[in-house]
Amino acid sequence: MDDLIYLDNGATSFPKPESVYAFMDKFYRNKGVSPGRSGYDLSIETGNLIEDARKSLTQYFNGKDPNRLIFSYNSTDALNLAINGLLKPGDHVITTQAEHNAVLRPLYHQSIYNEVQVDYIPLDKKGFVDPQDVISAFKPNTQLVVVNHGSNVIGTIQPVKEIGQICKKRGVTFLVDASQTAGKLSIDIEELNIDIIAFTGHKSLLGPTGIGGLYVKENVEIKHTRAGGTGVKSAQQHHLDEYPYRLEYGTLNTVGIAGLYAGLSWVLDKGIDTIHQHEMALTRKMLDGLNQIDNVITYCAEDLTDHIGVLSFNIKGFEAVNTGTILDGDYDIAVRTGLQCAPLVHKFLGTDKISGTVRIGFGPFNTHDHVDKAIEAIAEIALSYV
Ligand SMILES: Cc1ncc(COP(=O)(O)O)c(C=O)c1O
């Protein structure tokens, strides 16, 4: 394990900072009780940690009200809460080819079970959505626009500010999937004109799995699609309308929230720009190295403007899964292969027919040495197996 070169941070970040492990351990040993609900000191202290985490994430997204920062299991769960709680039969939704199944599948379900109409904006040849195409796609019944902030396949950052401006002008709700970008980029929902942002805790926010959430701006209301205990107003039959209870159900993942809180603190201490620059320097070096190897093809990475540290490639004539297996078995290098839960991106790339791509996702603990070793390994595979 010590020798493992982990390049699958697009799936989940690994390892986590030591401070995250230590904070979670200490928190759960000392404060692992039900938060806030029972009225004794320890329960209140646990509740306070959750409120601190809400405040910290709200501040990171430049939200105004920490109660509108709600916790869910992950961004898939958060996106389901938002999509299913916003749409009604007959609505129209605009989304993009860049989306993950966490958006595509809830929307598909809405289309078949709830008569919601969905349009998918294509990507241009560099992997970006053209905001003009969003304008052209509006219909009188457009209720929601959902856009992926940073692609988990090709790393492109979509022009969410421009798209948000367009939505704002039309009074249409704008939901952004920031699963890949939260913790990698500074995200100011005011500046970017975002109404709802979905995030996951276990990627670049450096927390554990099982925690994510939404920030829901004051101008938007999401219907309840679940109901249950909230720990307050227990005599009321209907699930609570007020945030955060409106979108939280049952006992929260307190240890996950503690880890997420510690992860975000680590990221902010290091500096988001510093981390991003480091990851982009590695991405640049990786791309330059891959471009030197005959038979290697990279996707949407001619230049790395408006990119995060996520890169897809293939060795020509060789299935992505085989490259991944050899990288793991012979070189102890972990990457992600296949469609990465984003089938429309692969349709756009034409890689849907060749079992997808090999994806490299950089994290803050990757080094230049990792890149050198990965390039060397890929060059050897490209030479000896093709
Ligand atoms: C762009 C994007 N959206 C959504 C998700 C779903 O994240 P989670 O599995 O944490 O719900 C991912 C994870 O791969 C992603 O990359």
Side-chain angles (χ1 to χ4, degrees):
M1 217 285 284
D2 278 354
D3 294 331
L4 175 75
I5 296 177
Y6 183 78
L7 299 179
D8 194 20
N9 290 282
T12 195
S13 54
F14 179 77
K16 311 296 176 184
E18 270 311 312
S19 58
V20 170
Y21 299 125
F23 190 79
M24 287 174 74
D25 183 66
K26 188 167 170 209
F27 168 79
Y28 211 45
R29 280 176 198 284
N30 295 298
K31 297 192 178 150
V33 301
S34 187
R37 299 176 169 184
S38 305
Y40 50 85
D41 283 355
L42 194 56
S43 167
I44 290 165
E45 283 171 35
T46 305
N48 289 344
L49 184 277
I50 288 167
E51 297 320 312
D52 287 346
R54 278 193 217 284
K55 282 185 198 139
S56 176
L57 282 154
T58 300
Q59 205 171 9
Y60 167 60
F61 291 122
N62 194 26
K64 290 195 173 75
D65 179 2
N67 284 330
R68 289 217 161 219
L69 187 295
I70 67 98
F71 289 113
S72 61
Y73 306 134
N74 47 41
S75 60
T76 303
D77 188 42
L79 286 158
N80 270 272
L81 285 174
I83 289 169
N84 297 332
L86 284 166
L87 297 173
K88 57 183 185 317
D91 283 342
H92 173 244
V93 181
I94 301 170
T95 190
T96 82
Q97 255 186 338
E99 305 310 308
H100 187 278
N101 274 337
V103 167
L104 297 177
R105 284 181 175 161
L107 286 179
Y108 180 68
H109 282 206
Q110 282 290 335
S111 76
I112 58 167
Y113 299 124
N114 217 7
E115 291 164 40
V116 165
Q117 227 187 323
V118 186
D119 277 322
Y120 304 86
I121 306 293
L123 299 175
D124 68 17
K125 63 179 191 313
K126 291 184 162 183
F128 294 99
V129 169
D130 181 347
Q132 287 304 317
D133 289 343
V134 178
I135 294 179
S136 311
F138 273 98
K139 295 187 172 168
N141 57 336
T142 304
Q143 181 68 23
L144 176 67
V145 174
V146 192
V147 174
N148 171 297
H149 194 194
S151 167
N152 62 312
V153 181
I154 48 178
T156 46
I157 301 172
Q158 299 304 336
V160 290
K161 182 175 177 176
E162 291 76 4
I163 298 171
Q165 184 65 36
I166 292 162
C167 293
K168 204 179 208 174
K169 264 197 190 150
R170 284 176 163 71
V172 169
T173 303
F174 184 37
L175 165 62
V176 169
D177 173 5
S179 302
Q180 287 292 331
T181 51
K184 269 196 188 330
L185 303 174
S186 296
I187 299 177
D188 179 335
I189 56 169
E190 289 297 330
E191 197 196 324
L192 298 177
N193 303 305
I194 295 171
D195 293 313
I196 307 171
I197 192 150
F199 61 94
T200 203
H202 65 100
K203 297 186 195 271
S204 297
L205 288 167
L206 304 181
T209 50
I211 191 70
L214 292 172
Y215 186 86
V216 184
K217 243 161 62 182
E218 299 66 34
N219 56 317
V220 189
E221 297 302 359
I222 298 176
K223 282 193 316 271
H224 323 85
T225 45
R226 297 180 191 151
T230 48
V232 296
K233 299 194 182 171
S234 296
Q236 182 174 312
Q237 276 187 300
H238 196 280
H239 193 86
L240 305 198
D241 282 330
E242 56 266 40
Y243 292 86
Y245 308 109
R246 187 181 180 100
L247 297 176
E248 288 179 354
Y249 313 84
T251 307
L252 292 173
N253 176 3
T254 53
V255 68
I257 294 170
L260 170 55
Y261 181 53
L264 176 61
S265 305
W266 189 92
V267 167
L268 295 176
D269 278 356
K270 282 275 164 204
I272 293 229
D273 289 345
T274 309
I275 296 172
H276 182 58
Q277 277 163 22
H278 170 67
E279 292 179 2
M280 289 317 291
L282 300 181
T283 310
R284 170 90 266 154
K285 183 174 178 150
M286 189 77 221
L287 180 63
D288 291 346
L290 291 175
N291 284 338
Q292 298 294 312
I293 307 170
D294 282 347
N295 293 329
V296 166
I297 170 168
T298 57
Y299 298 93
C300 296
E302 287 93 71
D303 80 78
L304 292 175
T305 314
D306 293 328
H307 271 249
I308 51 173
V310 168
L311 205 58
S312 262
F313 75 93
N314 266 320
I315 296 174
K316 278 183 207 156
F318 208 47
E319 295 239 332
V321 61
N322 294 333
T323 307
T325 303
I326 297 166
L327 281 172
D328 178 37
D330 293 0
Y331 299 94
D332 228 352
I333 295 175
V335 293
R336 172 79 187 266
T337 61
L339 301 184
Q340 297 100 8
C341 300
L344 299 186
V345 179
H346 288 278
K347 207 165 182 190
F348 151 73
L349 296 174
T351 44
D352 54 332
K353 295 174 196 76
I354 53 166
S355 82
T357 58
V358 183
R359 180 190 68 191
I360 289 174
F362 289 109
F365 298 115
N366 287 126
T367 64
H368 286 266
D369 185 49
H370 290 165
V371 177
D372 290 336
K373 291 198 166 112
I375 293 169
E376 219 174 287
I378 295 161
E380 277 184 18
I381 300 169
L383 256 183
S384 50
Y385 288 88
V386 178

